[in-house]
Amino acid sequence: MDPMTKMWVSLIAILIMGLSVFLITFARTKTTGILRGALSFVAFIFMVVGFLGGVAALI
């Protein structure tokens, strides 16, 4: 991967991780019940995708 592509992949990974932090914060403060669990699960999936994007940018 060329350096410019690595930069874009890492930037997208950072943005996805930021979205997951916002989503988990929203889920924990504003929701309850099954919606809270569903949003937390989606936030976890976003965090894993962001992590894999960060690892891909390092390789």
Side-chain angles (χ1 to χ4, degrees), residues 2-58:
D2 64 295
M4 198 64 159
T5 304
K6 285 185 178 188
M7 180 198 70
W8 285 112
V9 170
S10 65
L11 180 64
I12 291 169
I14 290 169
L15 291 174
I16 289 173
M17 286 186 164
L19 178 64
S20 72
V21 168
F22 172 76
L23 192 60
I24 196 69
T25 303
F26 176 76
R28 300 263 172 117
T29 59
K30 302 286 184 187
T31 61
T32 59
I34 190 104
L35 182 61
R36 181 178 181 176
L39 288 176
S40 296
F41 180 74
V42 169
F44 176 74
I45 296 300
F46 281 0
M47 186 64 75
V48 170
V49 169
F51 172 75
L52 292 175
V55 169
L58 290 175

